[in-house]
Every structure is written in C-alpha cells, then in structure tokens.
Amino acid sequence: IRDRYGTDALRFTLAVLAVPGMDLSLSEERMAGYRTFVNKIWNAARFVLMNLEEAGPEQKNEVTLVDRWIRSRLNYIVSEINDSLTEYKFYEAADKIYHFVWHEFCDWYIELVKSQLKEGNKTTQAVLMDVLDQIMRLLHPFMPFVTEEIWHHLPFAERSLAVAAFPLPDENKTDKEAEKHMNLIQTVITEIRTIRAEHRIPPRKKMILWINTHGESGKEIVTQY
C-alpha cells in the first residue's frame, strides 16, 4: 500500500480516519484521493518557487485585498489547528489543513494573484512565500517527506523542518474586513460560474454582468461590466 500510494498519503489517510471511538476502515479510495492532494501540494509549491526569483521587500507594493485575505484566513486556520492538536483531535486538524490548502490557497489565492505576479508585485511574492512556509510547517506532522523536500527549496530555510517552530495564531493578522470583501467576491464569481455551466456558455465567451448594489447613501446602484 505504501509503495502504491506513497508514505505521506498513507499517513494523512490514517490521521483523517483516526476518529476516537470508531473502528478504522482503511480505504484505498481515500489514499488515492490524498495521493492526489500530495500532487496538488507539490504543483502549488513549484508554482510558488517559480515566482520567487525576484521576491523583494514588501514596501515596494501595497498589500492587496487578496493578500490581506489569505493572511487572515491562514491565521484563523493556524488557531483552529492548534486547538485541535491540543485536544488530540488529529483527524480534525488534518481535515482543516486539507480544506485550507486545496480550496482557499490553491483554488482561490494562487489563481487570483497570477496577474499580480506577472506584474512583478513584490509584496504578493513575499506573502506567497510566507504562506507556503507556514503551510509546510502545519502539514509536516502529517506529511513529513514532501513538506521537508519543498521547504528546503524556500529562501532562508533552516537545517530541518522537523525542528522549525510550529505556527501560532497572531491576533494582529486577523482582517475581518478583508474576509468580508473577499467573501462577496467569491460569491459573485461562484454565481457567474454557475450561470455559465447551467447555460453552457463557453469560458472564452464574454458576458455582460449587471451588479445591483446600494451605495453609502442607501440608493440603488446598478453597474454594468
């Protein structure tokens, strides 16, 4: 099984399924799924590393909304995972980091910052590197091999991820305003994707988008894009 799916995928599967009071039913289907997760992490890391060549001090660019959002979300996940590990809920911690990495970091953040990276945004590069570093530290107890390999390619990596400090929550990194605005953007994008799918509109075909909102005065505002 280990040779077929990899040690990290096997370890992660055992962690996710290890719910207290329940018999452990080892599923090859789940292992295959988490092997795909390992590949997802590896590909995301490769993308980040490809865009770190010219990373510089953050003050060269303003921190964008999406950068503020991912930092805030990461801080929330760090807090949640620390709570789960303190209570020995390893299955819960593994599930939380899985959803954060796959759905928030890969599916949203990386996709949204591609244009900023093409423009050479130094701040986004720095945030991207920091978030990947923190993700590797959070994942290391569950996936020690792939995370160690990736981490040693990051700038300023120490001698071993095994002895690196584990992330701790920081109230100063919480940004509820950024999360609120990003939640609205995600909702709009998701609705547009749903409309495209339901009406079979090709991805390359442009749509006329009408957004009905209310301004500070409370008056209705209709904007066309």
Side-chain angles (χ1 to χ4, degrees), residues 69-82 100 138 168-175 179:
W69 168 76
I70 196 65
R71 278 179 163 175
S72 185
R73 291 299 304 154
L74 174 62
N75 188 60
Y76 172 79
I77 291 300
V78 167
S79 177
E80 290 285 295
I81 290 175
N82 273 277
F100 173 76
L138 291 170
L168 295 174
D170 182 353
E171 292 183 1
N172 295 323
K173 293 181 180 179
T174 300
D175 193 331
E179 291 192 38

Side-chain angles (χ1 to χ4, degrees), residues 185-212:
I185 292 172
Q186 289 172 303
T187 300
V188 171
I189 292 175
T190 301
E191 287 298 322
I192 293 173
R193 288 173 177 171
T194 301
I195 293 172
R196 280 187 176 276
E198 290 177 348
H199 296 276
R200 299 181 181 179
I201 301 173
R204 294 188 177 183
K205 186 175 181 179
K206 293 185 178 180
M207 295 173 55
I208 297 176
L209 179 64
W210 295 82
I211 299 181
N212 190 339

